[in-house]
Amino acid sequence: MGKYRTTIGLEVHVQLKTHSKMFCGCGTDFGAPPNTHVCPVCLGYPGALPVMNRDAIRLTVISGLMLGCRINSYSKFDRKNYFYPDMPKNYQITQYDLPLCLGGSVEIEVGGRVRTIGITRIHLEEDVAKNLHYATWSGIDFNRAGVPLMEIVSEPDLESPEEASAYLLALRQILTYAGVSDCNLEEGNMRCDANCSLRPADRVELGTKVEIKNINTVKGVQGALEYEEIRQAEALDGGRTIVQETRRWDADLGITSSMRTKEDAHDYRYFPEPDLMPVALPAEQVAAWKAALPELPQARRERFVAQYGLPEYDARVLAAERAVADYFEAALRLIPGSPKAVSNWVMTDVLRVLSERTIDIGRFPIPADALAELIGLAEKRVINSNTARDVFALMLDEGGRAGDIVKTRGLAQVSDTAAIEKVVEQAIAENAKSAEDFRQGKAAALKFLVGQVMRLSKGKANPQMATEMLVARLGKG
Amino acid sequence: MSELHTLGVHEVLERLNRRECSSEDIVRDVLAAIGRIDGTIDGYLSVAAEDALAQARAADEARRQGAGGRLLGVPIAVKDVLNVRGQPCGCASRILQGYVSPYDATAVARLRAEGAVFLGRTNMDEFAMGSSTENSAFKVTRNPWNRNCVPGGSSGGSAAVVAADEAIAALGSDTGGSVRQPASFCGCVGLKPSYGRISRYGLTAFASSLDQIGPMTKSVRDAALLLQVMAGHDPHDSSCLPDPVPDYAAALVPDLKGMRLGLPREYFVGGSDPEVERAIRAAVEVCRGLGAEIVDVALPHTPYVIATYYVIATAEASANLARFDGVRYGTRAAGAEDPIDLYKRTREQGFGPEVKRRIILGTYVLSSGYHDAYYLRAQKVRTLIRRDFEQAFQSCDAIVAPVAPTPAYPIGEKGGDPLQMYLGDIFTVPVNLAGICGMSVPCGFTTRQMPVGLQILGPALGEGSILRVGHAYEQAGGWSHRRPPL
Amino acid sequence: MTQAYQDTQQAGATIDVRYVANLARLNLTDAEVATFQAQLSQIVAYVNEIRALDVEGVEPTAHAAPVRNVFRDDVVVPGLEREQAIANAPEHSADLFKVPTIVE
């Protein structure tokens, strides 16, 4: 691609995590039977009127604050007029010239290069209904119509498909950190449109912009933009001009195609929504929200290194998701002396289970304080590390507290010299051949004998003491 | 033949409270009057006789058990633009045929909570677009004073049934004069409250920033009571004002001592029918006699109110009426190939010519290249018109003016010339643009025995003032009691 | 008023009724186009009067009352039963509102 420079801007739509819709009291839960979350307002009945969901406004402002935006002191809603079957009123309530948030940025890192991507604006609007297509007709489910949708518009600062996907991931991380959205792509609560243009490397002015719609995954963003880069480069190579148009990404075919649009000319005829009053948030309100903002992922990463002395790698893994980082810190609070041990447990054992069971940490069966108790027992050598893993497995499947499990099952490590000595003697007696091997200098035999001690003690012997005693009994070997 | 149907709200309540009759008696009497008269007036689109009787019997039972309710057992007619649960709400349009409302408008719910009985639905200009009720898709309502004349509009059905004693009271809606002008044409009282005083929830929107629901009654006192019940904050309407509702009955004193009434000089420049102007001036003299001081006020942007109104109202309407597309409710045209075709056919067949005209005009003034020149500019002129009134109310407590330049005119007279029809709204539309309140009170008759209304305007939330003026005038020399010869 | 009305007869107003009707998703017959074109041209010419007025520095009025920040709490309240919602539909399947095939 050395011949051309790519310029990309993204418009990301994020469904906000509210209980009710943007302008009415209907529920927002995903997967309900069709047309069961509907009312006169979200069906666009004659006479029904919208009333703003306070939390949708709050969550949008919090998103803006997390992304470093300026919060407009005066904001309003507008009607965007166009006819489509998924639009109950045949206009969408959105924000045209006075959005809630302006400016802001997101930092991304691609191939070791850190770049700051500008955010133009964030506005709030209502989602549309879902169209379902059958052989001879289409059907409409209005459950989603009116769900609060936040649109984050980036500056055309992205220079490659990789950067676009990195931007989307960074945005998703920050928004889930902010707790404003689940950003669950499967449930469609994060969707995006991309604007993409190519220009010869030696030219300054941007090329003709093509809009790509229907991108619903992070992989899709990269795929769609890679396809567009090639398509536009081939066109430019062939001396053809790029048509300014809207194209549709087909994830199955991996191509974009010109959208057949019946609207001969889009003329949205925006005007202020007379049914909604302007929003003028008091500065103190915005300041209070700002004061209560969660830490940004990057700041948290840095703090994990500085405060807990964790390696950079650990900090990155633990801080990737807010809920995981919260879990880690909740456990660490109970055993503040062992950050690395807690980190190891969370990174290896906890995250492994999450990925095996494809669940998120909210549904992980072992609460943070229970894990901390288990790690504490292992750290104090009440149980050895193998036992700790067994107890972890028990807690995972049956629940319970580590202390209770260790007590009722008699799993505490034995460190009593006389007791271990008895087992060591038994192990030597039952494995004379191995004892002899060790005396002859075969170091591996010692490991076997320690294993036998552990077996005979049902795993409870302090392995270090057992090793020392075997060496003392059998001579240096 | 009983005379119960000729009573107003207060008289009906007095009889009910004295147990002189039951709500069922009243409803039966009103239904009988409708049966006798409405064939020649055509004020109702539908009458829910059985349902109304059942509601009346329930009200009677409630009264026997000692239940209260400021309107317990009083039958009220409702303009076809308001949602009443379980009833059609067709806006006198073909496009809404088959629609049955699943909910009560807030104003309706509040009347219902006080025991009101919902009688039936009154005719109107389709989607409240018109000033004569000739734009109904179903029937032409006739003026009870002269059946060859229009009843005014768009709430012509409500005005006619109140004037013809086919109802005790009725509800209308007023976007540019649609309560006041038909009240004036039919000789009843019509009140348009300040914008935001009564919730618009459940009122099918014509122009959202101008629409208000208003009572149409046989006396100012009745209008005050219905306003009292319907007014006040509603969490379902963001534009509904949270201000407390004063006791309007307390404002109804028999004199106007200490009140200053403004006469806008721009409203008396010879544009009105001389008989109308004479009736207004006579009413002004009655007010002077009641102790009011008459002052001259200026509304300098009067020449621009029609243009401003028709830009803003149609722009909002073009969006408000986009939802009528044959998908979720109402009628649907047959034979459509795709959704766009479905919309175009349904809307072609479902809307009448005046609605189509206004949708086109409203779409045009918002469209790319014209938005700033028309819509945005009209919004700015609206500011100037609002300021005119703010200024005028610095020097007076209420303004008195004609409602319309003419009395009711013959059916069909203005049918072919929409602009001529629009120009008749000159004295009513500025009230909606400014968001203030206004009321029409009967103030006399022309030589051809057609009623003339006196328009009384007050500042935003100044309903108390205009009710006082209207009531005092009505008591001293008003014409509210006159009934048409039917 | 009358003067303004007469003035509009001469003003050069432009409205393409057929184009605008398409934006509004409204089919018109040729006869309607002709009638509306004449009527609306006259109305637009009349409305042109406001273009002569000096509105420099005047704030537009979008709402009749100066109210701000009207919100509702984020609470779920029961809406319509599906049967109730579907009952008003001109055409529906068991649980969906039916329309002719949408070509995306």
Side-chain angles (χ1 to χ4, degrees):
Chain A
M1 276 296 143
K3 222 167 135 189
Y4 300 108
R5 294 268 182 275
T6 305
T7 302
I8 298 165
L10 293 187
E11 290 167 14
V12 181
H13 292 91
V14 181
Q15 263 184 23
L16 293 175
K17 210 155 87 179
T18 55
H19 302 292
S20 64
K21 291 186 179 181
M22 183 66 224
F23 299 118
C24 65
C26 290
T28 55
D29 47 302
F30 179 78
N35 293 308
T36 53
H37 290 339
V38 293
C39 75
V41 176
C42 59
L43 284 175
Y45 267 39
L49 296 171
V51 183
M52 273 179 245
N53 183 331
R54 186 193 310 276
D55 254 31
I57 302 283
R58 183 178 63 84
L59 295 175
T60 304
V61 170
I62 284 174
S63 304
L65 292 169
M66 290 287 281
L67 296 168
C69 299
R70 201 170 75 244
I71 308 306
N72 244 333
S73 59
Y74 183 89
S75 177
K76 69 175 172 71
F77 284 82
D78 301 276
R79 292 184 183 178
K80 178 182 184 180
N81 295 286
Y82 67 97
F83 286 78
Y84 207 71
D86 61 11
M87 295 247 294
K89 304 181 292 296
N90 287 317
Y91 60 79
Q92 184 188 29
I93 304 178
T94 180
Q95 299 194 279
Y96 181 53
D97 56 344
L98 291 168
L100 280 165
C101 316
L102 289 168
S105 64
V106 173
E107 220 161 70
I108 59 163
E109 192 186 326
V110 172
R113 184 162 163 251
V114 175
R115 294 194 62 227
T116 301
I117 307 304
I119 285 171
T120 316
R121 56 182 275 163
I122 306 178
H123 68 253
L124 191 51
E125 60 190 29
E126 53 179 342
D127 207 345
V128 296
K130 196 168 139 194
N131 296 332
L132 298 120
H133 305 291
Y134 302 93
T136 56
W137 56 285
S138 295
I140 312 169
D141 168 11
F142 286 96
N143 282 351
R144 206 182 63 190
V147 167
L149 204 58
M150 174 172 74
E151 181 170 336
I152 304 172
V153 182
S154 86
E155 290 288 308
D157 288 347
L158 298 158
E159 294 174 352
S160 68
E162 296 75 32
E163 286 194 356
S165 90
Y167 166 80
L168 206 56
L169 286 170
L171 207 55
R172 183 160 77 156
Q173 196 182 46
I174 293 168
L175 296 176
T176 45
Y177 250 77
V180 302
S181 171
D182 293 327
C183 293
N184 189 326
L185 297 161
E186 285 69 43
E187 294 183 5
N189 45 50
M190 198 174 185
R191 288 166 264 157
C192 100
D193 299 338
N195 289 305
C196 174
S197 70
L198 258 61
R199 69 190 144 97
D202 56 359
R203 252 188 37 202
V204 181
E205 65 270 34
L206 297 179
T208 306
K209 188 171 78 177
V210 171
E211 189 183 7
I212 309 154
K213 287 195 175 284
N214 194 39
I215 311 177
N216 297 329
T217 63
V218 177
K219 242 175 80 185
V221 169
Q222 188 150 348
L225 288 167
E226 279 169 356
Y227 178 87
E228 261 310 294
E229 262 188 339
I230 294 168
R231 187 188 72 85
Q232 292 188 27
E234 280 177 358
L236 292 171
D237 283 344
R240 297 189 294 277
T241 52
I242 304 294
V243 186
Q244 182 162 358
E245 63 180 343
T246 300
R247 298 178 70 85
R248 184 188 161 75
W249 167 243
D250 186 323
D252 296 331
L253 298 177
I255 60 165
T256 69
S257 53
S258 193
M259 265 174 89
R260 196 137 49 102
T261 163
K262 287 253 175 165
E263 292 260 1
D264 4 9
H266 269 301
D267 186 341
Y268 291 130
R269 311 187 299 280
Y270 286 100
F271 74 98
E273 168 57 279
D275 291 332
L276 294 170
M277 300 299 113
V279 178
L281 297 170
E284 314 85 71
Q285 175 68 84
V286 176
W289 287 338
K290 191 167 187 175
L293 283 186
E295 216 172 1
L296 280 168
Q298 198 186 337
R300 202 162 198 185
R301 254 188 338 253
E302 286 161 9
R303 184 167 61 78
F304 280 7
V305 173
Q307 187 178 343
Y308 306 132
L310 291 179
E312 180 72 37
Y313 175 80
D314 289 35
R316 186 175 292 271
V317 173
L318 292 173
E321 212 182 299
R322 180 183 170 186
V324 172
D326 287 346
Y327 183 91
F328 164 74
E329 288 205 279
L332 183 55
R333 217 165 290 131
L334 299 169
I335 39 168
S338 313
K340 182 57 184 158
V342 177
S343 168
N344 288 346
W345 273 94
V346 173
M347 286 203 325
T348 52
D349 302 273
V350 176
L351 292 183
R352 174 180 49 80
V353 173
L354 296 188
S355 93
E356 279 169 7
R357 300 189 178 184
T358 56
I359 53 170
D360 56 38
I361 193 126
R363 291 177 54 211
F364 185 65
I366 304 176
D369 62 327
L371 183 73
E373 182 181 327
L374 171 64
I375 300 172
L377 292 175
E379 287 292 288
K380 279 182 279 181
R381 302 189 182 281
V382 174
I383 51 174
N384 61 47
S385 62
N386 287 336
T387 308
R389 297 245 137 48
D390 293 342
V391 173
F392 180 80
L394 281 168
M395 289 166 71
L396 205 51
D397 294 332
E398 294 163 26
R401 308 289 300 194
D404 297 339
I405 293 170
V406 167
K407 198 182 286 171
T408 55
R409 304 207 176 204
L411 298 175
Q413 187 161 255
V414 176
S415 301
D416 167 32
T417 315
I420 297 175
E421 209 144 275
K422 246 177 89 183
V423 186
V424 165
E425 270 169 32
Q426 191 186 348
I428 292 172
E430 287 178 10
N431 300 283
K433 173 82 172 63
S434 298
E436 191 48 35
D437 285 350
F438 180 64
R439 286 201 191 89
Q440 298 305 319
K442 275 177 88 176
L446 180 63
K447 237 185 174 167
F448 175 77
L449 288 167
V450 172
Q452 292 308 304
V453 172
M454 297 309 289
R455 186 179 61 84
L456 291 169
S457 72
K458 299 200 170 67
K460 292 187 293 186
N462 181 325
Q464 206 175 330
M465 286 175 73
T467 308
E468 281 162 15
M469 281 181 205
L470 281 166
V471 172
R473 277 300 191 102
L474 301 172
K476 285 178 221 17
Chain B
M1 187 167 65
S2 165
E3 297 297 309
L4 293 172
H5 61 282
T6 63
L7 304 177
V9 177
H10 280 87
E11 292 125 308
V12 157
L13 284 168
E14 280 155 25
R15 301 228 185 161
L16 284 169
N17 288 334
R18 291 200 301 259
R19 303 287 199 274
E20 290 172 13
C21 67
S22 67
S23 175
E24 188 177 349
D25 295 336
I26 296 162
V27 171
R28 282 195 188 286
D29 199 50
V30 171
L31 290 172
I34 294 170
R36 279 196 311 276
I37 304 165
D38 208 51
T40 57
I41 301 294
D42 275 334
Y44 282 96
L45 284 167
S46 63
V47 177
E50 285 312 309
D51 186 36
L53 284 168
Q55 293 175 58
R57 282 190 287 268
D60 287 333
E61 181 56 31
R63 190 176 292 275
R64 266 192 293 280
Q65 297 190 355
R70 286 179 285 179
L71 296 168
L72 189 56
V74 179
I76 289 174
V78 176
K79 186 179 180 182
D80 199 30
V81 74
L82 281 154
N83 281 271
V84 177
R85 191 188 177 93
Q87 292 191 6
C89 176
C91 300
S93 179
R94 295 196 189 286
I95 209 161
L96 270 169
Q97 277 187 297
Y99 169 66
V100 176
S101 180
Y103 76 108
D104 272 345
T106 297
V108 168
R110 288 187 180 170
L111 294 171
R112 200 193 284 285
E114 295 294 338
V117 170
F118 296 99
L119 204 55
R121 309 196 60 84
T122 59
N123 197 22
M124 55 186 279
D125 285 300
E126 184 180 8
F127 287 106
M129 294 179 176
S131 314
S132 69
T133 312
E134 292 166 293
N135 296 329
S136 166
F138 303 109
K139 49 168 74 166
V140 173
T141 297
R142 289 160 190 279
N143 192 309
W145 293 92
N146 179 341
R147 288 170 208 181
N148 294 320
C149 286
V150 300
S154 64
S155 312
S158 286
V161 301
V162 170
D165 286 328
E166 297 181 67
I168 305 301
L171 297 186
S173 68
D174 190 315
T175 306
S178 284
V179 161
R180 292 159 286 156
Q181 185 256 26
S184 166
F185 278 17
C186 291
C188 63
V189 173
L191 169 65
K192 185 211 90 83
S194 311
Y195 186 77
R197 184 71 290 187
I198 296 178
S199 167
R200 293 182 294 116
Y201 187 72
L203 166 65
T204 307
F206 160 14
S208 314
S209 78
L210 303 164
D211 295 341
Q212 268 292 293
I213 295 167
M216 306 184 77
T217 57
K218 298 175 187 179
S219 71
V220 173
R221 204 156 68 112
D222 284 359
L225 175 58
L226 293 189
L227 174 66
Q228 192 80 49
V229 170
M230 292 188 286
H233 177 66
D234 175 21
H236 290 109
D237 176 6
S238 311
S239 67
C240 188
L241 297 170
D243 302 61
V245 180
D247 179 2
Y248 295 119
L252 306 179
V253 293
D255 66 65
L256 298 176
K257 290 195 183 86
M259 281 198 96
R260 292 165 304 166
L261 297 183
L263 274 184
R265 63 184 83 123
E266 293 82 1
Y267 287 18
F268 296 92
V269 290
S272 298
D273 183 301
E275 287 201 284
V276 169
E277 202 162 318
R278 194 179 316 127
I280 302 299
R281 290 201 184 275
V284 169
E285 288 317 308
V286 173
C287 292
R288 200 195 299 273
L290 287 164
E293 181 194 346
I294 309 300
V295 299
D296 170 64
V297 294
L299 298 170
H301 290 92
T302 299
Y304 301 99
V305 297
I306 300 287
T308 303
Y309 174 81
Y310 278 92
V311 169
I312 290 172
T314 59
E316 292 182 13
S318 72
N320 282 331
L321 271 64
R323 69 188 63 195
F324 303 108
D325 60 4
V327 174
R328 281 145 291 118
Y329 43 73
T331 47
R332 150 179 296 197
E337 286 162 12
D338 57 53
I340 307 265
D341 190 30
L342 173 71
Y343 302 152
K344 289 184 172 177
R345 287 173 188 239
T346 298
R347 291 159 66 78
E348 175 189 21
Q349 294 167 24
F351 290 140
E354 181 60 21
V355 173
K356 288 178 184 169
R357 240 183 328 261
R358 295 201 194 189
I359 288 174
I360 294 169
L361 180 60
T363 304
Y364 171 70
V365 298
L366 285 173
S367 66
S368 173
Y370 300 97
H371 177 279
D372 288 7
Y374 292 112
Y375 177 71
L376 184 62
R377 183 167 276 268
Q379 281 192 313
K380 291 178 179 177
V381 182
R382 184 177 183 179
T383 304
L384 299 175
I385 293 164
R386 215 184 56 203
R387 283 186 199 155
D388 279 359
F389 282 98
E390 282 167 8
Q391 195 71 38
F393 285 120
Q394 297 286 316
S395 55
C396 66
D397 304 299
I399 289 171
V400 284
V403 177
T406 67
Y409 41 82
I411 289 166
E413 189 182 87
K414 296 189 183 180
D417 191 345
L419 182 53
Q420 269 305 333
M421 184 83 94
Y422 298 172
L423 296 175
D425 301 338
I426 178 98
F427 302 136
T428 47
V429 294
V431 175
N432 303 74
L433 289 168
I436 62 175
C437 57
M439 178 166 63
S440 174
V441 178
C443 73
F445 287 81
T446 64
T447 47
R448 306 181 107 178
Q449 293 308 303
M450 293 309 287
V452 176
L454 170 71
Q455 190 173 212
I456 308 162
L457 309 181
L461 299 185
E463 281 79 3
S465 299
I466 63 172
L467 287 166
R468 177 182 170 186
V469 175
H471 177 72
Y473 169 73
E474 190 177 73
Q475 297 298 304
W479 301 75
S480 301
H481 57 279
R482 278 272 290 261
R483 284 289 168 274
L486 289 165
Chain C
M1 175 167 86
T2 318
Q3 186 56 46
Y5 179 57
Q6 282 162 358
D7 287 350
T8 61
Q9 311 297 310
Q10 289 95 45
T14 57
I15 175 170
D16 180 345
V17 164
R18 209 183 279 279
Y19 171 80
V20 179
N22 182 46
L23 279 180
R25 297 292 177 244
L26 204 52
N27 276 348
L28 298 179
T29 62
D30 289 345
E32 277 177 316
V33 171
T35 311
F36 290 168
Q37 187 66 52
Q39 291 169 333
L40 287 167
S41 294
Q42 193 188 36
I43 292 165
V44 167
Y46 174 76
V47 163
N48 272 329
E49 286 290 298
I50 60 166
R51 301 175 73 169
L53 197 60
D54 181 14
V55 290
E56 187 67 32
V58 178
E59 281 297 308
T61 294
H63 297 94
V67 183
R68 289 177 185 185
N69 298 336
V70 181
F71 304 121
R72 43 172 276 274
D73 291 335
D74 181 27
V75 177
V76 175
V77 294
L80 297 177
E81 298 293 325
R82 176 163 63 199
E83 293 65 34
Q84 215 180 350
I86 290 284
N88 265 313
E91 275 187 74
H92 60 85
S93 72
D95 50 10
L96 297 172
F97 291 84
K98 245 170 140 168
V99 290
T101 304
I102 300 167
V103 181
E104 305 223 32

